[in-house]
Amino acid sequence: MKPPRLRVEGLSVRFHLPGATVRAVTDAHFEVRRGQCLALVGESGCGKSVMAHALMGLLPGNASVVGAAWLESGDTPPVNLIAAPEKVLARTVRGRRIGLVPQSPATHLTPVRTARAQLTEALHELGNPDHADTLAERAGLRPSDLDRYPHQLSGGMAQRVVNAIALAGDPWLIIADEPTSGLDRPLVEATMTELRRLADDGRAVLLITHDLRAAQQVADHVAVMYASRILSLEPAADFFTGPRHPYAAGLLDALPSRRFAAIPGQPPELTDLPEGCAFRPRCARATDDCGRLPLPPLGDNRVACHHPLESHVAR
Amino acid sequence: MLRAEGVVVSYGRQRVLGGVGIEVSPGQVTGLAGPSGCGKSTLARVLAMLLKPAAGRLTVDGVDVRRWRHRVPRELRGQVALIFQQPRLAVDPRFTLLDVIAEPLRAAHRSIEHARELAEEMGLTPELLSRRPHEVSDGQLQRACVARSLTLRPRYVICDEMTTMLDASTQAHLVARLEAYRLESGAGVLAITHDDELLIRWTGPSGGSIRHLSEMAPAA
């Protein structure tokens, strides 16, 4: 039996609008295994949330998707999340094999019902015989906390409630889509600790975020997404000490704890992506090749760039 | 000096600020930190004259603020600008980005040409200016909000978690733009954020102090 993993191969997502096509995800390749956390980082509008929605089968009707995303659970034949019918996704995948940790616990929970009612409903729907209290304790909540309404919970407690709901069907893959936006630093750190614990318990975690500090706290690998493409995929230790893609280096340099210098220019529109490398107009290392040649695929060197930085250069 | 003294605000029976004071000096970046829900945003709204406190005093360069929200006299209104955390909730969805930036100029019966210059400085192209908020990213919309805040050349700019939603590069760009405005105009900036690394970096160059709201509020 192979170990469970999510294997994404050549995934592309397009949205067809009147008079324009949005290229939201282009030719993505990556995998996430049990016990590991992959952080997908990038700025708002680069396509990372669309990726999450594609994996959950939650894209709107005007999207066209090519490629494959194999969910290899080990015990059953692999499911291609892109091609599987909605019935299969609803009955065997969402909640049962993939759990979603949503962007904002405050808006994800219904304000008119207690945390217990919402967690019990999830357990019942997913056919989990466990008691809500058991799950709450595993998520770091006291049973009495469950009797509160969402507005009576602190941000950190609400986060644990949605984590508990995400785990109600005992999924082995967790997709966390910007789980920390708007939280203060101690809460961000608490949320990341929770995600790390899930990975250490043997689950696979795909963390989607724009917060590099948060990613640094939990990720084993970091994928950088820019203008619909994954530009680099490196072990976290390499990424944070000596990233090889110029865009990744620019993002890290913009951190207040580093040079605090913005990357000049702005990302291109996803309706009007240039030929070759989309980062070329903003890149100090760009040459004429970058505009003409197709972008090199993410290969063994794990960076889609014609002129990558040397690894582990003292910066 | 933008000075608040003894500010008290309650929402219903919940007291949010119990006699808080703060000073924002011209030419400096003052930092304001504190955990989620401690009243930072409420204090920001009071300082921008958008919320009348139950008690306390607000002065802008020595002038007492006696009327609030839409009743603030015009000469006072343009003195303090506020930049919000979530740009999508801070703009009219029916406006184009140019309308968003030009709104304060229209309200003050001034030419809107200045709005185009500010937009260009923020890196917003003419093509983007004709779009509506749902057609641009959070980062582009927040750039427009920063441009809007500077149209009337305020003496004080209050940034309430301005960059929490944004990536590192856009954050660095927006802070650099406000620093350029501060140096050129001598305006005072209040930087509200719970990101300690950002606060240290932002307040450092002007030697401004960092205040913690939980320390400032006397027991309610």
PDB file of all heavy atoms in Angstrom, chain A residues 43-44 182-184 210 213 251 254 256-260 262-263 266 269, chain B residues 35-36 123 131 140 143 164-169 171 173 194-195 197-198 201:
ATOM      1  N   GLU A  43       0.952  36.751  -3.655  1.00  0.00           N
ATOM      2  CA  GLU A  43       0.139  37.912  -3.314  1.00  0.00           C
ATOM      3  C   GLU A  43      -1.322  37.698  -3.708  1.00  0.00           C
ATOM      4  O   GLU A  43      -1.644  36.735  -4.408  1.00  0.00           O
ATOM      5  CB  GLU A  43       0.704  39.178  -3.951  1.00  0.00           C
ATOM      6  CG  GLU A  43       0.952  39.099  -5.425  1.00  0.00           C
ATOM      7  CD  GLU A  43       2.021  40.106  -5.834  1.00  0.00           C
ATOM      8  OE1 GLU A  43       1.682  41.271  -5.939  1.00  0.00           O
ATOM      9  OE2 GLU A  43       3.164  39.715  -6.065  1.00  0.00           O
ATOM     10  N   SER A  44      -2.203  38.596  -3.245  1.00  0.00           N
ATOM     11  CA  SER A  44      -3.621  38.422  -3.527  1.00  0.00           C
ATOM     12  C   SER A  44      -3.845  38.516  -5.033  1.00  0.00           C
ATOM     13  O   SER A  44      -3.221  39.323  -5.707  1.00  0.00           O
ATOM     14  CB  SER A  44      -4.448  39.486  -2.802  1.00  0.00           C
ATOM     15  OG  SER A  44      -4.333  40.725  -3.438  1.00  0.00           O
ATOM     16  N   GLY A 182      -6.296  38.687   9.179  1.00  0.00           N
ATOM     17  CA  GLY A 182      -6.972  39.523  10.157  1.00  0.00           C
ATOM     18  C   GLY A 182      -6.760  39.113  11.606  1.00  0.00           C
ATOM     19  O   GLY A 182      -7.273  39.759  12.510  1.00  0.00           O
ATOM     20  N   LEU A 183      -6.021  38.037  11.854  1.00  0.00           N
ATOM     21  CA  LEU A 183      -5.756  37.651  13.241  1.00  0.00           C
ATOM     22  C   LEU A 183      -4.510  38.373  13.741  1.00  0.00           C
ATOM     23  O   LEU A 183      -3.626  38.700  12.968  1.00  0.00           O
ATOM     24  CB  LEU A 183      -5.523  36.140  13.344  1.00  0.00           C
ATOM     25  CG  LEU A 183      -6.652  35.222  12.880  1.00  0.00           C
ATOM     26  CD1 LEU A 183      -6.297  33.771  13.155  1.00  0.00           C
ATOM     27  CD2 LEU A 183      -7.946  35.577  13.574  1.00  0.00           C
ATOM     28  N   ASP A 184      -4.438  38.594  15.073  1.00  0.00           N
ATOM     29  CA  ASP A 184      -3.229  39.216  15.582  1.00  0.00           C
ATOM     30  C   ASP A 184      -2.130  38.154  15.753  1.00  0.00           C
ATOM     31  O   ASP A 184      -2.376  36.962  15.634  1.00  0.00           O
ATOM     32  CB  ASP A 184      -3.483  40.023  16.868  1.00  0.00           C
ATOM     33  CG  ASP A 184      -4.006  39.166  18.001  1.00  0.00           C
ATOM     34  OD1 ASP A 184      -3.836  37.943  17.939  1.00  0.00           O
ATOM     35  OD2 ASP A 184      -4.585  39.726  18.929  1.00  0.00           O
ATOM     36  N   HIS A 210      -0.614  34.484   2.436  1.00  0.00           N
ATOM     37  CA  HIS A 210       0.293  35.520   1.942  1.00  0.00           C
ATOM     38  C   HIS A 210       1.281  35.899   3.042  1.00  0.00           C
ATOM     39  O   HIS A 210       2.131  36.753   2.853  1.00  0.00           O
ATOM     40  CB  HIS A 210      -0.496  36.765   1.499  1.00  0.00           C
ATOM     41  CG  HIS A 210      -1.153  37.479   2.647  1.00  0.00           C
ATOM     42  ND1 HIS A 210      -2.432  37.207   3.064  1.00  0.00           N
ATOM     43  CD2 HIS A 210      -0.695  38.428   3.479  1.00  0.00           C
ATOM     44  CE1 HIS A 210      -2.722  37.963   4.099  1.00  0.00           C
ATOM     45  NE2 HIS A 210      -1.695  38.713   4.378  1.00  0.00           N
ATOM     46  N   ARG A 213       5.742  34.927   7.433  1.00  0.00           N
ATOM     47  CA  ARG A 213       6.152  34.568   8.801  1.00  0.00           C
ATOM     48  C   ARG A 213       5.368  33.353   9.268  1.00  0.00           C
ATOM     49  O   ARG A 213       5.897  32.483   9.950  1.00  0.00           O
ATOM     50  CB  ARG A 213       5.903  35.737   9.760  1.00  0.00           C
ATOM     51  CG  ARG A 213       7.056  36.712   9.811  1.00  0.00           C
ATOM     52  CD  ARG A 213       6.673  37.919  10.646  1.00  0.00           C
ATOM     53  NE  ARG A 213       6.793  37.677  12.073  1.00  0.00           N
ATOM     54  CZ  ARG A 213       6.359  38.532  12.992  1.00  0.00           C
ATOM     55  NH1 ARG A 213       5.772  39.652  12.631  1.00  0.00           N
ATOM     56  NH2 ARG A 213       6.497  38.263  14.274  1.00  0.00           N
ATOM     57  N   LEU A 251      10.257  38.869  -2.447  1.00  0.00           N
ATOM     58  CA  LEU A 251       9.216  38.806  -1.407  1.00  0.00           C
ATOM     59  C   LEU A 251       9.844  38.788  -0.026  1.00  0.00           C
ATOM     60  O   LEU A 251       9.404  39.486   0.891  1.00  0.00           O
ATOM     61  CB  LEU A 251       8.381  37.537  -1.577  1.00  0.00           C
ATOM     62  CG  LEU A 251       7.134  37.571  -2.442  1.00  0.00           C
ATOM     63  CD1 LEU A 251       6.398  36.255  -2.311  1.00  0.00           C
ATOM     64  CD2 LEU A 251       6.222  38.727  -2.077  1.00  0.00           C
ATOM     65  N   ALA A 254      11.204  42.027   1.158  1.00  0.00           N
ATOM     66  CA  ALA A 254      10.205  43.044   1.488  1.00  0.00           C
ATOM     67  C   ALA A 254       9.733  42.930   2.936  1.00  0.00           C
ATOM     68  O   ALA A 254       9.024  43.801   3.425  1.00  0.00           O
ATOM     69  CB  ALA A 254       9.010  42.917   0.542  1.00  0.00           C
ATOM     70  N   PRO A 256       9.474  43.296   6.868  1.00  0.00           N
ATOM     71  CA  PRO A 256       9.989  44.345   7.748  1.00  0.00           C
ATOM     72  C   PRO A 256      11.243  43.911   8.509  1.00  0.00           C
ATOM     73  O   PRO A 256      12.077  44.737   8.866  1.00  0.00           O
ATOM     74  CB  PRO A 256       8.838  44.589   8.731  1.00  0.00           C
ATOM     75  CG  PRO A 256       7.631  44.063   8.056  1.00  0.00           C
ATOM     76  CD  PRO A 256       8.079  42.962   7.145  1.00  0.00           C
ATOM     77  N   SER A 257      11.391  42.609   8.747  1.00  0.00           N
ATOM     78  CA  SER A 257      12.569  42.146   9.487  1.00  0.00           C
ATOM     79  C   SER A 257      13.796  42.053   8.579  1.00  0.00           C
ATOM     80  O   SER A 257      14.894  41.821   9.062  1.00  0.00           O
ATOM     81  CB  SER A 257      12.287  40.783  10.102  1.00  0.00           C
ATOM     82  OG  SER A 257      11.893  39.878   9.090  1.00  0.00           O
ATOM     83  N   ARG A 258      13.604  42.225   7.256  1.00  0.00           N
ATOM     84  CA  ARG A 258      14.740  42.197   6.334  1.00  0.00           C
ATOM     85  C   ARG A 258      14.908  43.587   5.731  1.00  0.00           C
ATOM     86  O   ARG A 258      14.905  44.561   6.467  1.00  0.00           O
ATOM     87  CB  ARG A 258      14.536  41.107   5.291  1.00  0.00           C
ATOM     88  CG  ARG A 258      14.386  39.743   5.978  1.00  0.00           C
ATOM     89  CD  ARG A 258      14.522  38.601   5.005  1.00  0.00           C
ATOM     90  NE  ARG A 258      14.271  37.329   5.684  1.00  0.00           N
ATOM     91  CZ  ARG A 258      14.593  36.146   5.184  1.00  0.00           C
ATOM     92  NH1 ARG A 258      15.178  36.061   4.013  1.00  0.00           N
ATOM     93  NH2 ARG A 258      14.331  35.042   5.860  1.00  0.00           N
ATOM     94  N   ARG A 259      14.996  43.708   4.398  1.00  0.00           N
ATOM     95  CA  ARG A 259      15.293  45.037   3.839  1.00  0.00           C
ATOM     96  C   ARG A 259      14.074  45.954   3.790  1.00  0.00           C
ATOM     97  O   ARG A 259      14.203  47.165   3.665  1.00  0.00           O
ATOM     98  CB  ARG A 259      15.881  44.883   2.429  1.00  0.00           C
ATOM     99  CG  ARG A 259      17.370  44.573   2.442  1.00  0.00           C
ATOM    100  CD  ARG A 259      17.917  44.514   1.018  1.00  0.00           C
ATOM    101  NE  ARG A 259      17.535  45.669   0.223  1.00  0.00           N
ATOM    102  CZ  ARG A 259      17.065  45.608  -1.033  1.00  0.00           C
ATOM    103  NH1 ARG A 259      16.919  44.455  -1.623  1.00  0.00           N
ATOM    104  NH2 ARG A 259      16.746  46.703  -1.671  1.00  0.00           N
ATOM    105  N   PHE A 260      12.862  45.401   3.863  1.00  0.00           N
ATOM    106  CA  PHE A 260      11.631  46.205   3.844  1.00  0.00           C
ATOM    107  C   PHE A 260      11.533  46.989   2.542  1.00  0.00           C
ATOM    108  O   PHE A 260      11.078  48.132   2.529  1.00  0.00           O
ATOM    109  CB  PHE A 260      11.602  47.143   5.053  1.00  0.00           C
ATOM    110  CG  PHE A 260      10.211  47.603   5.432  1.00  0.00           C
ATOM    111  CD1 PHE A 260       9.097  46.810   5.201  1.00  0.00           C
ATOM    112  CD2 PHE A 260      10.030  48.832   6.037  1.00  0.00           C
ATOM    113  CE1 PHE A 260       7.837  47.244   5.559  1.00  0.00           C
ATOM    114  CE2 PHE A 260       8.765  49.277   6.400  1.00  0.00           C
ATOM    115  CZ  PHE A 260       7.679  48.478   6.160  1.00  0.00           C
ATOM    116  N   ALA A 262      10.141  47.172  -1.387  1.00  0.00           N
ATOM    117  CA  ALA A 262       9.144  46.599  -2.285  1.00  0.00           C
ATOM    118  C   ALA A 262       9.792  46.144  -3.582  1.00  0.00           C
ATOM    119  O   ALA A 262      10.815  46.692  -4.008  1.00  0.00           O
ATOM    120  CB  ALA A 262       8.060  47.635  -2.574  1.00  0.00           C
ATOM    121  N   ILE A 263       9.185  45.134  -4.219  1.00  0.00           N
ATOM    122  CA  ILE A 263       9.587  44.759  -5.575  1.00  0.00           C
ATOM    123  C   ILE A 263       9.014  45.826  -6.499  1.00  0.00           C
ATOM    124  O   ILE A 263       7.825  46.141  -6.402  1.00  0.00           O
ATOM    125  CB  ILE A 263       8.998  43.382  -5.941  1.00  0.00           C
ATOM    126  CG1 ILE A 263       9.423  42.330  -4.924  1.00  0.00           C
ATOM    127  CG2 ILE A 263       9.413  42.980  -7.350  1.00  0.00           C
ATOM    128  CD1 ILE A 263       8.669  41.006  -5.069  1.00  0.00           C
ATOM    129  N   GLN A 266       4.181  46.096 -10.630  1.00  0.00           N
ATOM    130  CA  GLN A 266       3.019  45.356 -10.145  1.00  0.00           C
ATOM    131  C   GLN A 266       2.830  44.107 -10.981  1.00  0.00           C
ATOM    132  O   GLN A 266       3.273  44.048 -12.121  1.00  0.00           O
ATOM    133  CB  GLN A 266       1.776  46.225 -10.273  1.00  0.00           C
ATOM    134  CG  GLN A 266       1.668  47.268  -9.202  1.00  0.00           C
ATOM    135  CD  GLN A 266       0.254  47.797  -9.100  1.00  0.00           C
ATOM    136  OE1 GLN A 266      -0.649  47.084  -8.717  1.00  0.00           O
ATOM    137  NE2 GLN A 266       0.075  49.041  -9.475  1.00  0.00           N
ATOM    138  N   GLU A 269      -1.926  41.458 -15.319  1.00  0.00           N
ATOM    139  CA  GLU A 269      -3.313  41.012 -15.242  1.00  0.00           C
ATOM    140  C   GLU A 269      -3.395  39.553 -15.674  1.00  0.00           C
ATOM    141  O   GLU A 269      -2.734  39.156 -16.640  1.00  0.00           O
ATOM    142  CB  GLU A 269      -4.169  41.851 -16.196  1.00  0.00           C
ATOM    143  CG  GLU A 269      -4.220  43.320 -15.845  1.00  0.00           C
ATOM    144  CD  GLU A 269      -4.920  43.547 -14.526  1.00  0.00           C
ATOM    145  OE1 GLU A 269      -5.832  42.764 -14.203  1.00  0.00           O
ATOM    146  OE2 GLU A 269      -4.553  44.493 -13.810  1.00  0.00           O
TER     147      GLU A 269
ATOM    148  N   PRO B  35      -3.682  43.685  21.409  1.00  0.00           N
ATOM    149  CA  PRO B  35      -4.295  42.466  20.861  1.00  0.00           C
ATOM    150  C   PRO B  35      -5.623  42.743  20.161  1.00  0.00           C
ATOM    151  O   PRO B  35      -6.194  43.826  20.300  1.00  0.00           O
ATOM    152  CB  PRO B  35      -4.515  41.606  22.109  1.00  0.00           C
ATOM    153  CG  PRO B  35      -4.552  42.551  23.247  1.00  0.00           C
ATOM    154  CD  PRO B  35      -3.667  43.700  22.876  1.00  0.00           C
ATOM    155  N   SER B  36      -6.122  41.755  19.415  1.00  0.00           N
ATOM    156  CA  SER B  36      -7.424  41.857  18.750  1.00  0.00           C
ATOM    157  C   SER B  36      -8.496  42.226  19.769  1.00  0.00           C
ATOM    158  O   SER B  36      -8.523  41.666  20.865  1.00  0.00           O
ATOM    159  CB  SER B  36      -7.817  40.518  18.136  1.00  0.00           C
ATOM    160  OG  SER B  36      -7.112  40.274  16.975  1.00  0.00           O
ATOM    161  N   GLY B 123       1.320  53.798  -8.450  1.00  0.00           N
ATOM    162  CA  GLY B 123       1.523  52.702  -9.395  1.00  0.00           C
ATOM    163  C   GLY B 123       0.233  52.208 -10.031  1.00  0.00           C
ATOM    164  O   GLY B 123       0.190  51.100 -10.536  1.00  0.00           O
ATOM    165  N   ARG B 131     -11.619  51.000 -13.707  1.00  0.00           N
ATOM    166  CA  ARG B 131     -12.286  49.788 -13.221  1.00  0.00           C
ATOM    167  C   ARG B 131     -13.001  50.024 -11.906  1.00  0.00           C
ATOM    168  O   ARG B 131     -12.699  50.969 -11.178  1.00  0.00           O
ATOM    169  CB  ARG B 131     -11.247  48.697 -12.998  1.00  0.00           C
ATOM    170  CG  ARG B 131     -10.585  48.315 -14.285  1.00  0.00           C
ATOM    171  CD  ARG B 131     -10.095  46.933 -14.138  1.00  0.00           C
ATOM    172  NE  ARG B 131      -9.036  46.677 -15.098  1.00  0.00           N
ATOM    173  CZ  ARG B 131      -8.285  45.605 -15.039  1.00  0.00           C
ATOM    174  NH1 ARG B 131      -8.443  44.746 -14.048  1.00  0.00           N
ATOM    175  NH2 ARG B 131      -7.370  45.404 -15.935  1.00  0.00           N
ATOM    176  N   GLN B 140      -4.403  46.344  -5.147  1.00  0.00           N
ATOM    177  CA  GLN B 140      -4.662  47.505  -6.004  1.00  0.00           C
ATOM    178  C   GLN B 140      -5.697  48.427  -5.368  1.00  0.00           C
ATOM    179  O   GLN B 140      -5.578  49.652  -5.418  1.00  0.00           O
ATOM    180  CB  GLN B 140      -5.133  47.027  -7.382  1.00  0.00           C
ATOM    181  CG  GLN B 140      -4.002  46.379  -8.164  1.00  0.00           C
ATOM    182  CD  GLN B 140      -4.491  45.576  -9.359  1.00  0.00           C
ATOM    183  OE1 GLN B 140      -5.623  45.112  -9.391  1.00  0.00           O
ATOM    184  NE2 GLN B 140      -3.627  45.393 -10.326  1.00  0.00           N
ATOM    185  N   ARG B 143      -4.119  50.425  -2.620  1.00  0.00           N
ATOM    186  CA  ARG B 143      -3.331  51.516  -3.199  1.00  0.00           C
ATOM    187  C   ARG B 143      -4.230  52.720  -3.477  1.00  0.00           C
ATOM    188  O   ARG B 143      -3.875  53.867  -3.207  1.00  0.00           O
ATOM    189  CB  ARG B 143      -2.687  51.086  -4.515  1.00  0.00           C
ATOM    190  CG  ARG B 143      -1.470  50.206  -4.337  1.00  0.00           C
ATOM    191  CD  ARG B 143      -1.079  49.553  -5.651  1.00  0.00           C
ATOM    192  NE  ARG B 143      -0.229  48.399  -5.414  1.00  0.00           N
ATOM    193  CZ  ARG B 143       1.082  48.381  -5.632  1.00  0.00           C
ATOM    194  NH1 ARG B 143       1.682  49.432  -6.120  1.00  0.00           N
ATOM    195  NH2 ARG B 143       1.790  47.308  -5.359  1.00  0.00           N
ATOM    196  N   THR B 164      -2.541  44.400   6.771  1.00  0.00           N
ATOM    197  CA  THR B 164      -2.710  43.025   7.272  1.00  0.00           C
ATOM    198  C   THR B 164      -3.141  42.051   6.181  1.00  0.00           C
ATOM    199  O   THR B 164      -2.804  40.878   6.223  1.00  0.00           O
ATOM    200  CB  THR B 164      -3.779  42.992   8.373  1.00  0.00           C
ATOM    201  OG1 THR B 164      -3.695  44.201   9.090  1.00  0.00           O
ATOM    202  CG2 THR B 164      -3.558  41.857   9.322  1.00  0.00           C
ATOM    203  N   MET B 165      -3.932  42.549   5.206  1.00  0.00           N
ATOM    204  CA  MET B 165      -4.456  41.648   4.178  1.00  0.00           C
ATOM    205  C   MET B 165      -3.478  41.472   3.015  1.00  0.00           C
ATOM    206  O   MET B 165      -3.780  40.744   2.082  1.00  0.00           O
ATOM    207  CB  MET B 165      -5.759  42.220   3.593  1.00  0.00           C
ATOM    208  CG  MET B 165      -6.738  42.749   4.589  1.00  0.00           C
ATOM    209  SD  MET B 165      -7.741  41.446   5.243  1.00  0.00           S
ATOM    210  CE  MET B 165      -8.781  41.111   3.840  1.00  0.00           C
ATOM    211  N   LEU B 166      -2.363  42.192   3.036  1.00  0.00           N
ATOM    212  CA  LEU B 166      -1.552  42.305   1.819  1.00  0.00           C
ATOM    213  C   LEU B 166      -0.233  41.546   1.921  1.00  0.00           C
ATOM    214  O   LEU B 166       0.268  41.279   3.007  1.00  0.00           O
ATOM    215  CB  LEU B 166      -1.270  43.786   1.532  1.00  0.00           C
ATOM    216  CG  LEU B 166      -2.518  44.669   1.469  1.00  0.00           C
ATOM    217  CD1 LEU B 166      -2.126  46.110   1.264  1.00  0.00           C
ATOM    218  CD2 LEU B 166      -3.458  44.205   0.376  1.00  0.00           C
ATOM    219  N   ASP B 167       0.338  41.244   0.751  1.00  0.00           N
ATOM    220  CA  ASP B 167       1.611  40.538   0.714  1.00  0.00           C
ATOM    221  C   ASP B 167       2.746  41.488   1.105  1.00  0.00           C
ATOM    222  O   ASP B 167       2.574  42.713   1.141  1.00  0.00           O
ATOM    223  CB  ASP B 167       1.842  39.969  -0.683  1.00  0.00           C
ATOM    224  CG  ASP B 167       1.975  41.061  -1.713  1.00  0.00           C
ATOM    225  OD1 ASP B 167       0.955  41.642  -2.092  1.00  0.00           O
ATOM    226  OD2 ASP B 167       3.106  41.360  -2.108  1.00  0.00           O
ATOM    227  N   ALA B 168       3.910  40.898   1.373  1.00  0.00           N
ATOM    228  CA  ALA B 168       5.036  41.664   1.915  1.00  0.00           C
ATOM    229  C   ALA B 168       5.466  42.800   0.994  1.00  0.00           C
ATOM    230  O   ALA B 168       5.761  43.907   1.449  1.00  0.00           O
ATOM    231  CB  ALA B 168       6.208  40.720   2.176  1.00  0.00           C
ATOM    232  N   SER B 169       5.486  42.548  -0.320  1.00  0.00           N
ATOM    233  CA  SER B 169       5.980  43.578  -1.231  1.00  0.00           C
ATOM    234  C   SER B 169       5.029  44.778  -1.288  1.00  0.00           C
ATOM    235  O   SER B 169       5.467  45.930  -1.250  1.00  0.00           O
ATOM    236  CB  SER B 169       6.167  42.986  -2.636  1.00  0.00           C
ATOM    237  OG  SER B 169       6.543  43.989  -3.536  1.00  0.00           O
ATOM    238  N   GLN B 171       2.960  45.659   1.036  1.00  0.00           N
ATOM    239  CA  GLN B 171       3.089  46.312   2.340  1.00  0.00           C
ATOM    240  C   GLN B 171       4.263  47.282   2.342  1.00  0.00           C
ATOM    241  O   GLN B 171       4.140  48.438   2.748  1.00  0.00           O
ATOM    242  CB  GLN B 171       3.294  45.245   3.421  1.00  0.00           C
ATOM    243  CG  GLN B 171       3.743  45.803   4.759  1.00  0.00           C
ATOM    244  CD  GLN B 171       3.749  44.736   5.838  1.00  0.00           C
ATOM    245  OE1 GLN B 171       2.709  44.343   6.356  1.00  0.00           O
ATOM    246  NE2 GLN B 171       4.913  44.248   6.159  1.00  0.00           N
ATOM    247  N   HIS B 173       5.679  48.704  -0.165  1.00  0.00           N
ATOM    248  CA  HIS B 173       5.416  49.808  -1.086  1.00  0.00           C
ATOM    249  C   HIS B 173       4.521  50.873  -0.439  1.00  0.00           C
ATOM    250  O   HIS B 173       4.803  52.075  -0.509  1.00  0.00           O
ATOM    251  CB  HIS B 173       4.759  49.265  -2.355  1.00  0.00           C
ATOM    252  CG  HIS B 173       4.392  50.320  -3.345  1.00  0.00           C
ATOM    253  ND1 HIS B 173       5.210  50.648  -4.391  1.00  0.00           N
ATOM    254  CD2 HIS B 173       3.320  51.138  -3.433  1.00  0.00           C
ATOM    255  CE1 HIS B 173       4.639  51.629  -5.091  1.00  0.00           C
ATOM    256  NE2 HIS B 173       3.491  51.935  -4.539  1.00  0.00           N
ATOM    257  N   HIS B 194      -0.763  45.004  14.903  1.00  0.00           N
ATOM    258  CA  HIS B 194      -0.261  44.087  15.927  1.00  0.00           C
ATOM    259  C   HIS B 194       0.976  43.351  15.449  1.00  0.00           C
ATOM    260  O   HIS B 194       1.432  42.427  16.091  1.00  0.00           O
ATOM    261  CB  HIS B 194      -1.348  43.123  16.402  1.00  0.00           C
ATOM    262  CG  HIS B 194      -2.185  42.567  15.303  1.00  0.00           C
ATOM    263  ND1 HIS B 194      -1.656  41.887  14.249  1.00  0.00           N
ATOM    264  CD2 HIS B 194      -3.514  42.629  15.088  1.00  0.00           C
ATOM    265  CE1 HIS B 194      -2.626  41.535  13.443  1.00  0.00           C
ATOM    266  NE2 HIS B 194      -3.764  41.984  13.907  1.00  0.00           N
ATOM    267  N   ASP B 195       1.531  43.775  14.305  1.00  0.00           N
ATOM    268  CA  ASP B 195       2.756  43.163  13.802  1.00  0.00           C
ATOM    269  C   ASP B 195       3.944  43.936  14.381  1.00  0.00           C
ATOM    270  O   ASP B 195       4.259  45.034  13.948  1.00  0.00           O
ATOM    271  CB  ASP B 195       2.748  43.231  12.265  1.00  0.00           C
ATOM    272  CG  ASP B 195       3.949  42.522  11.657  1.00  0.00           C
ATOM    273  OD1 ASP B 195       4.985  42.390  12.344  1.00  0.00           O
ATOM    274  OD2 ASP B 195       3.855  42.126  10.487  1.00  0.00           O
ATOM    275  N   GLU B 197       7.187  43.488  14.319  1.00  0.00           N
ATOM    276  CA  GLU B 197       8.339  43.756  13.438  1.00  0.00           C
ATOM    277  C   GLU B 197       8.053  44.942  12.520  1.00  0.00           C
ATOM    278  O   GLU B 197       8.918  45.783  12.284  1.00  0.00           O
ATOM    279  CB  GLU B 197       8.659  42.514  12.591  1.00  0.00           C
ATOM    280  CG  GLU B 197       9.285  41.402  13.403  1.00  0.00           C
ATOM    281  CD  GLU B 197       9.617  40.171  12.567  1.00  0.00           C
ATOM    282  OE1 GLU B 197       9.302  40.159  11.362  1.00  0.00           O
ATOM    283  OE2 GLU B 197      10.194  39.230  13.133  1.00  0.00           O
ATOM    284  N   LEU B 198       6.825  45.008  12.013  1.00  0.00           N
ATOM    285  CA  LEU B 198       6.443  46.117  11.140  1.00  0.00           C
ATOM    286  C   LEU B 198       6.479  47.437  11.916  1.00  0.00           C
ATOM    287  O   LEU B 198       6.987  48.446  11.434  1.00  0.00           O
ATOM    288  CB  LEU B 198       5.052  45.864  10.552  1.00  0.00           C
ATOM    289  CG  LEU B 198       4.439  47.007   9.751  1.00  0.00           C
ATOM    290  CD1 LEU B 198       5.299  47.348   8.538  1.00  0.00           C
ATOM    291  CD2 LEU B 198       3.022  46.667   9.291  1.00  0.00           C
ATOM    292  N   ARG B 201       9.996  48.735  12.485  1.00  0.00           N
ATOM    293  CA  ARG B 201      10.589  49.207  11.237  1.00  0.00           C
ATOM    294  C   ARG B 201       9.969  50.529  10.777  1.00  0.00           C
ATOM    295  O   ARG B 201      10.647  51.397  10.235  1.00  0.00           O
ATOM    296  CB  ARG B 201      10.372  48.124  10.175  1.00  0.00           C
ATOM    297  CG  ARG B 201      11.239  48.283   8.966  1.00  0.00           C
ATOM    298  CD  ARG B 201      12.682  48.061   9.331  1.00  0.00           C
ATOM    299  NE  ARG B 201      13.551  48.424   8.248  1.00  0.00           N
ATOM    300  CZ  ARG B 201      14.306  47.563   7.566  1.00  0.00           C
ATOM    301  NH1 ARG B 201      14.324  46.300   7.924  1.00  0.00           N
ATOM    302  NH2 ARG B 201      15.057  47.972   6.588  1.00  0.00           N
TER     303      ARG B 201
END
